Amino acid sequence: DLALGLAHAQNLEPAKAVRVNLGIVNAYVLIRGKEAALVDTGTPNNGSKIAEVVRTAGLDWNAVHHVILTHYHPDHIGSIGEVLTAAEKSTAYAGSADIPQIQSPRPLKAVADNDEVFGLRVIATPGHTPGHVCVFDPAGSVLILGDALNNIGNNLAGPNPQYTADMAQAHQSVKKLANLKFQRAVFGHGEAIENNASEAIAKLAGSL
């Protein structure tokens, strides 16, 4: 039951969302208690950088139980093999339309709009890729956007048209995100918006 699931999510402690800065792209480690989830794995050969962030939080790979991929592009799934080999207890998830494009050492679990993983709400945001998803932590008031939006040089914009499958659909997804309320937004590309992020996204959505 969705209402129950979200009520449960509201009772959780906020997940601490920590950026893994991989140069051209960001991945995120979300920590709740002694358990962690990873959103995206960045470009290839970045397992050690992700491990470092997990270690800094006082955890190890055994604490990483969930790996959520926002979409199938190589700069977001590049280290999936390395991560799943190290995080032996983890389940990996992606939007069903993107799963066929992802080579992974073990099967990925399909997630759909409003599914809950680790108290995080999956939001289907197709357009950039057919199966693109964002990840929302209601308890922590943070939205992880993948490539649904970019904030490069603090210039908030929709996804890069050059790499986007369906721009009209991507804009619809931005408008959908504008209905949520959250303080903080973090991006696959660019800097976080730390305060009143949902207002900034709603403003952008109004201009699309």
Side-chain angles (χ1 to χ4, degrees):
D1 181 272
L2 175 63
L4 271 174
L6 291 178
H8 158 70
Q10 297 293 357
N11 295 333
L12 293 170
E13 63 176 285
K16 186 180 174 203
V18 185
R19 175 185 181 181
V20 187
N21 186 342
L22 301 172
I24 63 157
V25 70
N26 303 311
Y28 294 92
V29 177
L30 284 93
I31 300 141
R32 219 190 291 273
K34 292 286 170 210
E35 197 181 333
L38 177 64
V39 178
D40 287 340
T41 68
T43 42
N45 306 315
N46 276 309
S48 60
K49 283 190 180 170
I50 295 166
E52 211 173 286
V53 172
V54 173
R55 241 193 333 270
T56 304
L59 302 173
D60 60 21
W61 280 120
N62 288 332
V64 179
H65 293 176
H66 313 277
V67 180
I68 304 170
L69 301 172
T70 59
H71 63 298
Y72 72 78
H73 287 164
D75 56 332
H76 292 259
I77 65 158
S79 293
I80 188 67
E82 219 181 323
V83 163
L84 291 186
T85 303
E88 293 174 3
K89 297 178 179 175
S90 67
T91 303
Y93 312 81
S96 58
D98 278 19
I99 286 178
Q101 313 282 348
I102 300 170
Q103 284 187 319
S104 165
R106 50 181 183 269
L108 300 175
K109 192 172 171 186
V111 281
D113 199 34
N114 282 321
D115 280 355
E116 192 186 317
V117 175
F118 185 54
L120 305 166
R121 183 173 148 200
V122 173
I123 299 167
T125 43
H128 184 63
T129 64
H132 192 288
V133 297
C134 293
V135 180
F136 180 42
D137 180 33
S141 195
V142 61
L143 180 65
I144 301 171
L145 284 138
D147 280 0
L149 288 158
N150 295 310
N151 193 38
I152 297 163
N154 290 314
N155 176 31
L156 185 63
N160 186 330
Q162 195 183 340
Y163 303 110
T164 296
D166 185 331
M167 219 47 209
Q169 195 180 35
H171 285 161
Q172 286 309 112
S173 288
V174 174
K175 289 177 178 176
K176 176 181 177 179
L177 293 171
N179 295 320
L180 296 170
K181 291 277 175 276
F182 48 92
Q183 277 299 319
R184 187 169 181 237
V186 298
F187 304 87
H189 304 279
E191 298 301 318
I193 298 175
E194 298 292 351
N195 294 299
N196 304 323
S198 55
E199 289 169 28
I201 289 171
K203 190 176 166 190
L204 175 70
S207 72
L208 296 175

